[in-house]
Amino acid sequence: MDIASARVIVTGGASGLGAATARDLAAAGARVTIFDRDTERGAAMAEAAGGTFAEVDVTDEASVAAGIARAVKAMGGISAVVNCAGIVTGAKTVGSKGPFPLDAFRRTIDINLVGAFNVARLAAVEMAKNDPDAEGERGVIVNTASIAAFDGQKGQAAYSASKAGVAGLSLPMARDMGSLGIRVNAIAPGLFLTPMLESLGPEMMEELASDVVFPRRLGRPEEFARLARVLIEMPYLNGETIRLDGALRLP
């Protein structure tokens, strides 16, 4: 897909990996619509990217449908989605305060997994209306998994399960929508310099980076964004989940 003519929804685009992706795509000429719950930061990010903002709860069908309608009106259609919206929940299955709170487990799955699928499935309806390009392609979906999907640590039962589900979407969704000319891939990032990690302080970040094989540092959001752009651009990449982690394997 030609990025310069792409019309892209980025969920979670107000900050972190989503914001970096929105900036990168806009700089490459794409039209961007940001979905986020943070209206102030989301609107500012959209303005900086020369795009559109929609306040969207990815877990709510009506909210996503309204956001997609706004994106279609603003961009004239949708040709790609990059799903970055998500949360991290940490608790042991059984800890000092008892079992993992079931509501917290459900909320993590709902936002990280159900939310990604909700946006993807509704956006794909609009992508299917696009005229195919020379490859027969009408749209691209890029989801965000995590290396925790494969190397889940203590306290990550909910988060790892949600991201393993996201990774598991790639192939069946790609198979479902191949006849429509819609590709589906996922990125499984390792430890990245997002606001959540930066809040831990420089010493903790340095300790976390020490386990990365090479380069021995935390990932940069713009590196995630570059890979997301490649996945949109590369027509033969389909049904894959790609680790982006400097060969890190979580202990």
Side-chain angles (χ1 to χ4, degrees):
M1 180 177 293
D2 178 17
I3 286 294
S5 61
R7 297 159 294 176
V8 190
I9 290 172
V10 181
T11 74
S15 62
L17 301 180
T21 300
R23 282 193 296 267
D24 181 273
L25 293 174
R31 300 186 69 179
V32 176
T33 297
I34 289 172
F35 286 6
D36 209 288
R37 297 288 301 276
D38 189 331
T39 56
E40 184 175 348
R41 294 172 71 179
M45 187 63 237
E47 184 178 359
T52 303
F53 172 73
E55 182 181 1
V56 171
D57 175 355
V58 296
T59 68
D60 182 84
E61 184 169 11
S63 180
V64 172
I68 285 175
R70 179 171 173 79
V72 169
K73 183 177 181 180
M75 301 189 296
I78 300 166
S79 54
V81 167
V82 183
N83 273 315
C84 296
I87 62 169
V88 177
T89 304
K92 289 185 178 180
T93 305
V94 178
S96 59
K97 297 181 179 179
F100 195 123
L102 192 57
D103 286 349
F105 188 92
R106 284 195 177 116
R107 181 170 180 267
T108 306
I109 299 293
D110 206 26
I111 293 173
N112 294 357
L113 175 56
V114 178
F117 184 72
N118 191 27
V119 174
R121 72 188 181 94
L122 295 177
V125 173
E126 296 300 324
M127 293 179 191
K129 300 174 184 177
N130 295 334
D131 293 330
D133 66 12
E135 292 273 6
E137 184 170 271
R138 290 185 171 90
V140 183
I141 295 165
V142 179
N143 293 319
T144 303
S146 167
I147 61 170
F150 315 106
D151 310 333
Q153 296 179 295
K154 289 189 295 185
Q156 288 189 336
Y159 184 70
S160 294
S162 70
K163 293 302 185 178
V166 171
L169 288 175
S170 296
L171 185 57
M173 284 183 68
R175 287 173 165 169
D176 282 350
M177 297 192 289
S179 62
L180 300 174
I182 298 172
R183 293 186 291 113
V184 184
N185 292 290
I187 301 171
L191 300 177
F192 272 68
L193 275 167
T194 60
M196 181 187 69
L197 277 187
E198 289 174 339
S199 69
L200 299 176
E203 290 185 6
M204 180 60 73
M205 288 193 294
E206 185 176 347
E207 182 179 340
L208 291 170
S210 67
D211 289 327
V212 180
V213 176
F214 182 83
R216 190 158 290 181
R217 58 170 173 79
L218 300 180
R220 297 166 182 149
E222 56 266 31
E223 292 171 320
F224 176 95
R226 284 169 62 191
L227 180 54
R229 175 157 46 90
V230 167
L231 288 173
I232 293 172
E233 291 177 315
M234 183 65 68
Y236 208 59
L237 265 172
N238 196 14
E240 293 294 332
T241 297
I242 300 175
R243 293 181 69 129
L244 186 64
D245 57 16
L248 172 65
R249 297 298 181 267
L250 296 175

